[in-house]
Amino acid sequence: VDDRLAPTPAPPYTAVIFTSVRSAGDDGAYATMAAAMEHLGASQPGFLGIESVRDPVTRLGITVSYWRTEADALAWRDVAEHLGAQRLGRERWYAAYRVRVATVHRSARHPER
Amino acid sequence: VDDRLAPTPAPPYTAVIFTSVRSAGDDGAYATMAAAMEHLGASQPGFLGIESVRDPVTRLGITVSYWRTEADALAWRDVAEHLGAQRLGRERWYAAYRVRVATVHRSARHPER
């Protein structure tokens, strides 16, 4: 098992798909905040796991976080420190992003166990 | 608008979240097949868009494809050329992967238009 793939349970559960394009510059401050938010997010009720990749050249990134319920995901959206990070994201760090909240209905894996 | 972010409509629609770890080597054959499958997938009924990133160092990748309905996504899973690519994926290219099929319920974006 590769620990960069999230150990999610049998469906249903909630996925938050965050896709973003990082603006030029400010990489140090961004990395610090991203690590802090990943750490804080992992301590929230209902957190199941996270998968995250950013291409350092194109600056396109995809982060998927998994939650027991949609209410758990929305509660994390509204945590004060996270709201502050979201504001900095809109003002400084992201040229564009999409957030999509989804219910996972079925899953498959390789290897199978 | 950044064209690396998929131009999805108002929810609901289906997301297929594919997260994978590429094995070492065979990068040329893999890139050729990945491009062919991205091209063929985009021609299928119900295809809405795709977002895809792989970190060349960690070899972790996330690809999210978006579909009008879950039936459209499952039909693409079962297209013969795609089944062949999936088999090569399991046998040669992926140390591990997860596929999760989800219904998107809500979305947000930046900038707002």
Side-chain angles (χ1 to χ4, degrees):
Chain A
V1 177
D2 193 294
D3 66 2
R4 291 168 294 174
L5 301 180
T8 44
Y13 52 89
T14 293
V16 179
I17 306 163
F18 178 71
T19 53
S20 62
V21 180
R22 275 277 291 120
S23 313
D26 210 18
D27 286 349
Y30 176 76
T32 299
M33 179 66 91
M37 287 302 114
E38 190 162 332
H39 185 79
L40 185 61
S43 74
Q44 302 300 305
F47 177 84
L48 297 175
I50 189 169
E51 295 162 340
S52 189
V53 182
R54 186 172 302 279
D55 185 313
V57 176
T58 68
R59 302 178 78 80
L60 179 65
I62 303 179
T63 296
V64 189
S65 61
Y66 300 99
W67 303 86
R68 202 177 41 196
T69 67
E70 184 161 329
D72 290 327
L74 297 178
W76 164 235
R77 178 192 66 185
D78 295 337
V79 167
E81 296 93 324
H82 192 198
L83 289 170
Q86 291 166 42
R87 180 175 170 175
L88 287 170
R90 286 189 298 272
E91 292 177 354
R92 298 186 193 175
W93 291 323
Y94 298 119
Y97 67 70
R98 305 281 186 277
V99 187
R100 298 174 175 101
V101 181
T103 302
V104 178
H105 295 294
R106 59 169 76 216
S107 62
R109 57 178 290 174
H110 168 76
E112 293 199 8
R113 63 205 67 239
Chain B
V1 177
D2 192 295
D3 66 3
R4 291 168 295 175
L5 302 180
T8 44
Y13 52 87
T14 293
V16 178
I17 307 163
F18 178 70
T19 53
S20 62
V21 180
R22 274 277 291 121
S23 313
D26 210 19
D27 286 350
Y30 177 76
T32 299
M33 179 66 90
M37 287 302 114
E38 189 162 333
H39 186 79
L40 184 61
S43 75
Q44 301 300 306
F47 177 83
L48 297 175
I50 189 168
E51 295 162 339
S52 189
V53 183
R54 186 173 303 280
D55 185 311
V57 177
T58 69
R59 302 178 77 79
L60 180 66
I62 303 178
T63 296
V64 190
S65 60
Y66 300 99
W67 302 86
R68 202 176 42 197
T69 67
E70 185 162 328
D72 291 327
L74 297 178
W76 164 235
R77 178 193 65 183
D78 295 338
V79 167
E81 296 91 323
H82 192 199
L83 289 170
Q86 290 166 43
R87 180 175 169 175
L88 286 170
R90 286 189 299 272
E91 291 177 353
R92 299 186 192 175
W93 290 323
Y94 297 121
Y97 67 70
R98 304 282 186 276
V99 187
R100 297 172 176 103
V101 181
T103 303
V104 178
H105 295 293
R106 58 169 77 216
S107 62
R109 57 178 291 173
H110 168 77
E112 291 200 9
R113 65 203 69 241

